[in-house]
């Protein structure tokens, strides 16, 4: 049963008015297709709104004579590689049906599936580089996983054809915030449902269902047959299995809401307090209980304070301070927490591999080929740990073997070949017992030398060795104290406090030269 929204800004229309609107939109789409010599790109996510949009355009083009169907329409869908598995499976099957049906019907629609670059995927950033789980103040995921892949495709179309029309299923009735954003964008309106895109030159945005209500979308999807052979009632059933109303839209800029605010999104999303859609799927359908390990990982990532899991330095090795309110009139100056430590990066790798192994055993037959983390991602994570973080113990193959029982096959030829390995790391750990910073410094120095070992010219080695000392030669307490000292010195300089500058400079010299004589420091 479809419920009519109450209190909406958009009053309900009767079926006759909806049919009339569909007819007008059909003519509008046909004119846009035939009269404008500009390629059309449809952003399709697999949800109700984008499916409604694609169905409208497909039916409109199908009504044209064959000789007028000369311009290819591109349908792009972005796979973040961490999509809700049920939705991801639905999307892939739909794209296969679209491709076959378009060819059989002579419809010039071409589907495309885009992905983030390997260096930008969720697990490479979180497990490889150590980025913390996304938060409002550090929402690193949307740009890398969604905007870049879609933007890259759109820019390629613009480079080839000079212009592009981007058709989206965005609706004002989705939320008050969305309605306000769309109202603001009307400043760039070219004609009905068509806006210029202020953030991307040579592109127009087409919004044919911007004034449609949610119940009208469902009426259209259930009363008008899906032209590429998908069953829209199955889509409705998938929506009914969860609680929220919005789909995960094709994200093309930072003004587009995160999937965390949407009906279906990334299963790892920590932008909201809980993944209601996955929780509802597991609770309402015994056949979806296999997704519980995914939900467990997501909830484990989503903790309010994860500082004990993160380095006290930023990812580039520098201590940076910030003021944090701890009371009405009291503040505390503390280090900004950096990436996950080696222990926790290895922990998250183990958890994802465990979940992947388990769901492959417990999921329904049609979902047992599920991949939570790809071999390409694992290879890149291994490279980062070895080459950028100097962790030459090469723990990824060991963890992979322990969890899966299989030998990790690295796609990079010669990966892991090194003069240093797990045995050398074990010896180093014994030498640097209970001194994590000493272990880190020694590992960086040894691995930096190793990386230059086979080079005919060792240009840059002294600069890289110096970086090792800059980032890793002080203990945690000393590094934080030094950051406070520099902050106080900068404050005194800005305030012109000469006495404080002299005192702090002397303290800085003393801190940096602990073995120097008092007389030398005074000089």
């Amino acid at each position: 049963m479809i419920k009519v929204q109450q209190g909406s800004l958009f009053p309900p229309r009767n079926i006759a008015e909806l049919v009339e609107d569909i007819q007008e939109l059909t003519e509008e789409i046909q004119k846009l297709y035939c009269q404008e010599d500009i390629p059309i790109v449809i952003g399709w996510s697999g949800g109700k709104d984008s499916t409604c949009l694609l169905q409208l355009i497909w039916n409109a083009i199908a009504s044209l004579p064959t000789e007028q169907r000369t311009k290819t329409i591109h349908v792009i869908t972005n796979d973040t590689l961490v999509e809700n598995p049920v939705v991801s499976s639905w999307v892939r099957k739909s794209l296969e049906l679209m491709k076959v049906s378009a060819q059989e019907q002579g419809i010039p629609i071409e589907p495309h599936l885009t992905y983030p670059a390997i260096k930008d995927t969720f697990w490479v950033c979180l497990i490889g580089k150590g980025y913390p789980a996304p938060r409002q103040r550090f929402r690193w995921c949307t740009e890398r996983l969604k905007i870049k892949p879609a933007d890259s495709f759109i820019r390629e179309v613009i480079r080839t054809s000079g212009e592009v029309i981007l058709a989206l299923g965005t609706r004002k009735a989705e939320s008050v915030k969305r309605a306000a954003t769309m109202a603001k964008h009307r400043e760039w309106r070219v004609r009905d449902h068509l806006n210029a895109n202020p953030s991307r030159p040579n592109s127009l945005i087409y919004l044919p269902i911007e004034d449609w209500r949610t119940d009208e979308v469902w009426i259209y999807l259930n009363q008008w047959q899906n032209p590429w052979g998908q069953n829209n009632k199955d889509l409705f059933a998938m929506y009914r299995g969860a609680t929220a109303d919005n789909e995960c839209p094709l994200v093309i800029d930072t003004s587009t809401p995160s999937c965390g605010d949407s009906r279906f999104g990334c299963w790892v999303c920590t932008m909201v307090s809980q993944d209601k859609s996955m929780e509802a799927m597991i609770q309402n359908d015994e056949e979806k209980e296999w997704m519980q390990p995914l939900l467990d990982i997501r909830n484990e990532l989503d903790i309010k304070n994860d500082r004990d899991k993160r380095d006290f330095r930023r990812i580039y090795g520098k201590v940076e301070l910030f003021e944090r309110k701890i009371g009405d009139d009291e503040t505390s100056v503390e280090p900004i927490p950096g990436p996950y430590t080696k222990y926790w990066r290895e922990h998250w790798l183990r958890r994802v591999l465990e979940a992947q192994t388990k769901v492959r055993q417990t999921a329904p037959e049609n979902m047992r080929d599920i991949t939570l983390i790809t071999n390409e991602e694992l290879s890149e994570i291994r490279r980062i740990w070895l080459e950028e973080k100097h962790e030459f113990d090469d723990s990824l193959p060991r963890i992979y073997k322990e969890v899966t029982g299989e030998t990790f096959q690295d796609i990079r030829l010669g990966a892991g070949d090194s003069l240093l390995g797990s045995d050398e790391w074990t010896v180093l750990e014994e030498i640097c017992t209970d001194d994590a910073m000493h272990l880190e410094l020694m590992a960086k120095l040894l691995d930096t030398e190793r990386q230059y070992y086979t080079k005919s010219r060792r240009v840059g080695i002294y600069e890289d060795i110096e970086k090792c000392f800059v980032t890793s030669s002080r203990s945690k307490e000393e590094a934080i104290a030094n950051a406070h000292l520099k902050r106080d010195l900068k404050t005194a300089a800005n305030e012109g406090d000469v006495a404080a500058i002299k005192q702090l400079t002397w303290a800085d010299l003393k801190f940096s030269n602990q073995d120097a004589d008092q007389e030398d420091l005074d000089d």
Side-chain angles (χ1 to χ4, degrees):
M1 178 180 179
I2 301 172
K3 295 183 179 180
V4 177
Q5 294 169 312
Q6 299 297 324
S8 171
L9 296 172
F10 307 95
R13 297 180 292 184
N14 58 43
I15 295 297
E17 291 173 324
L18 180 60
V19 171
E20 183 180 351
D21 188 22
I22 292 170
Q23 292 172 342
E24 291 175 356
L25 284 175
T26 299
E27 295 174 5
E28 180 180 279
I29 292 167
Q30 291 172 340
K31 288 180 181 178
L32 190 68
Y33 177 82
C34 295
Q35 295 177 3
E36 300 289 349
D37 190 25
I38 305 174
I40 297 174
V41 175
I42 301 173
W44 183 74
S45 68
K48 64 183 186 304
D49 296 334
S50 59
T51 297
C52 176
L53 166 73
L54 177 55
Q55 190 165 308
L56 277 169
I57 294 177
W58 188 304
N59 287 332
I61 303 306
S63 299
L64 290 171
T66 305
E67 62 272 14
Q68 292 185 19
R69 305 175 198 166
T70 57
K71 186 169 63 177
T72 300
I73 296 175
H74 301 281
V75 177
I76 63 169
T77 302
N78 185 57
D79 185 352
T80 63
L81 301 179
V82 282
E83 298 292 334
N84 181 302
V86 173
V87 180
S88 180
S89 177
W90 166 272
V91 166
R92 289 174 181 276
K93 290 176 182 176
S94 298
L95 291 175
E96 291 172 4
L97 280 173
M98 280 180 210
K99 188 173 182 179
V100 173
S101 298
Q103 291 175 346
E104 291 176 348
Q105 298 172 30
I107 307 296
I109 285 180
E110 188 174 317
H112 306 267
L113 191 59
T114 62
Y115 302 92
I118 289 298
K119 66 181 179 66
D120 290 332
T121 68
F122 186 86
W123 294 125
V124 167
C125 288
L126 188 139
I127 296 176
K129 300 173 186 176
Y131 285 10
R135 293 290 185 273
Q136 292 295 339
R137 292 188 178 183
F138 189 33
R139 182 179 156 185
W140 53 264
C141 51
T142 305
E143 174 74 23
R144 291 172 173 82
L145 304 185
K146 290 183 164 292
I147 297 176
K148 281 185 179 180
D151 191 61
S152 177
F153 184 93
I154 294 166
R155 287 182 183 277
E156 184 58 35
V157 173
I158 293 175
R159 275 195 294 268
T160 303
S161 306
E163 293 178 283
V164 69
I165 295 174
L166 182 60
L168 300 175
T170 311
R171 296 182 301 109
K172 299 172 188 173
E174 290 178 66
S175 68
V176 174
K177 182 179 179 181
R178 175 60 64 87
T181 301
M182 294 179 70
K184 182 180 179 181
H185 288 173
R186 287 186 69 89
E187 299 175 22
W188 299 288
R189 178 129 297 189
V190 176
R191 59 175 184 262
D192 284 350
H193 305 133
L194 198 65
N195 296 346
N197 188 349
S199 62
R200 187 176 289 102
N202 300 330
S203 67
L204 299 169
I205 297 179
Y206 183 48
L207 307 169
I209 62 170
E210 59 181 341
D211 294 323
W212 282 35
R213 295 162 50 92
T214 300
D215 54 303
E216 292 173 338
V217 170
W218 282 120
I219 289 171
Y220 176 70
L221 291 176
N222 282 286
Q223 297 299 321
W224 277 258
Q225 186 175 358
N226 184 298
W228 57 89
Q230 192 67 274
N231 190 339
N232 287 339
K233 287 182 171 58
D234 292 340
L235 177 64
F236 183 68
M238 191 164 63
Y239 267 81
R240 188 173 54 192
T243 56
D245 290 328
N246 298 324
E247 70 183 269
C248 178
L250 176 78
V251 178
I252 59 166
D253 55 46
T254 52
S255 66
T256 309
S258 162
C259 277
D261 296 326
S262 304
R263 183 60 167 80
F264 300 116
C266 302
W267 65 267
V268 291
C269 185
T270 51
M271 296 296 292
V272 290
S273 58
Q274 61 185 122
D275 187 342
K276 294 182 179 179
S277 62
M278 184 173 282
E279 287 179 355
M281 284 181 174
I282 294 170
Q283 180 179 349
N284 298 336
D285 189 346
E286 289 184 0
E287 291 186 359
K288 293 186 175 64
E289 289 181 356
W290 60 269
M291 291 196 294
Q292 186 63 48
L294 279 66
L295 186 61
D296 292 341
I297 291 176
R298 184 258 164 217
N299 291 339
E300 189 178 346
L301 283 169
D302 187 24
I303 58 174
K304 188 174 183 180
N305 188 351
D306 59 0
R307 294 185 187 185
D308 61 320
K309 298 176 175 59
R310 296 165 62 182
D311 202 308
F312 64 94
R313 299 156 296 181
R314 305 304 297 274
I315 200 165
Y316 40 83
K318 183 179 179 181
V319 175
E320 291 189 2
L321 305 173
F322 76 109
E323 289 189 7
R324 185 168 68 94
K325 290 193 69 174
I326 57 176
D328 294 336
D329 302 313
E330 190 177 356
T331 59
S332 173
V333 179
E334 303 172 4
I336 300 174
Y340 289 128
T341 62
K342 183 177 188 294
Y343 174 88
W344 284 103
R345 283 184 279 110
E346 292 177 349
H347 170 80
W348 296 128
L349 172 63
R350 189 180 295 276
R351 293 285 287 113
V352 174
L353 290 173
E354 287 171 346
Q356 179 171 276
T357 302
K358 186 171 183 178
V359 298
R360 284 178 174 177
Q361 296 169 348
T362 60
E365 200 67 38
N366 64 327
M367 296 294 289
R368 289 196 178 181
D369 60 346
I370 189 170
T371 298
L372 300 184
I373 185 167
T374 67
N375 257 34
E376 290 80 6
E377 290 177 289
L378 290 168
S379 180
E380 177 63 8
I381 290 168
R382 186 187 189 192
R383 186 199 66 78
I384 292 171
W385 287 4
L386 284 170
E387 298 179 9
E388 297 181 16
K389 296 188 179 293
H390 305 284
E391 295 166 357
F392 55 77
D393 59 325
D394 197 15
S395 60
L396 187 143
R398 171 178 54 80
I399 294 172
Y400 188 90
K401 177 74 172 179
E402 290 173 355
V403 175
T404 68
E406 301 172 359
T407 301
F408 176 63
Q409 302 295 330
D410 202 321
I411 61 173
R412 294 180 299 129
L413 293 176
D417 293 346
S418 174
L419 297 172
L420 302 170
S422 57
D423 291 342
E424 287 75 19
W425 187 275
T426 301
V427 172
L428 203 59
E429 284 184 318
E430 292 174 358
I431 295 172
C432 305
T433 304
D434 298 327
D435 193 341
M437 295 306 298
H438 191 199
L439 171 63
E440 180 181 295
L441 177 60
M442 292 301 102
K444 283 186 175 181
L445 290 172
L446 286 169
D447 198 55
T448 298
E449 166 61 27
R450 179 198 62 79
Q451 290 181 5
Y452 280 90
Y453 179 75
T454 57
K455 294 183 179 179
S456 57
R457 299 181 69 240
R458 293 158 65 87
V459 176
I461 186 171
Y462 293 118
E463 289 81 357
D464 284 350
I465 287 176
E466 178 64 25
K467 289 178 184 176
C468 296
F469 282 101
V470 169
T471 61
S472 308
S473 61
R474 292 188 175 100
S475 68
K476 176 180 178 180
E477 293 73 22
E478 290 173 337
I480 294 174
N482 187 48
H484 278 278
L485 200 63
K486 289 183 177 180
R487 180 179 184 273
D488 293 341
L489 183 59
K490 184 177 180 180
T491 301
N494 290 336
E495 295 175 353
D497 191 339
V498 177
I501 292 173
K502 287 182 178 180
Q503 184 178 1
L504 289 167
T505 303
W506 178 86
D508 191 16
L509 285 169
K510 183 178 179 181
F511 183 84
S512 303
N513 300 273
Q514 296 178 7
D515 296 329
D517 293 333
Q518 185 68 44
E519 186 176 340
D520 293 335
L521 291 172
D522 289 339
D523 290 341

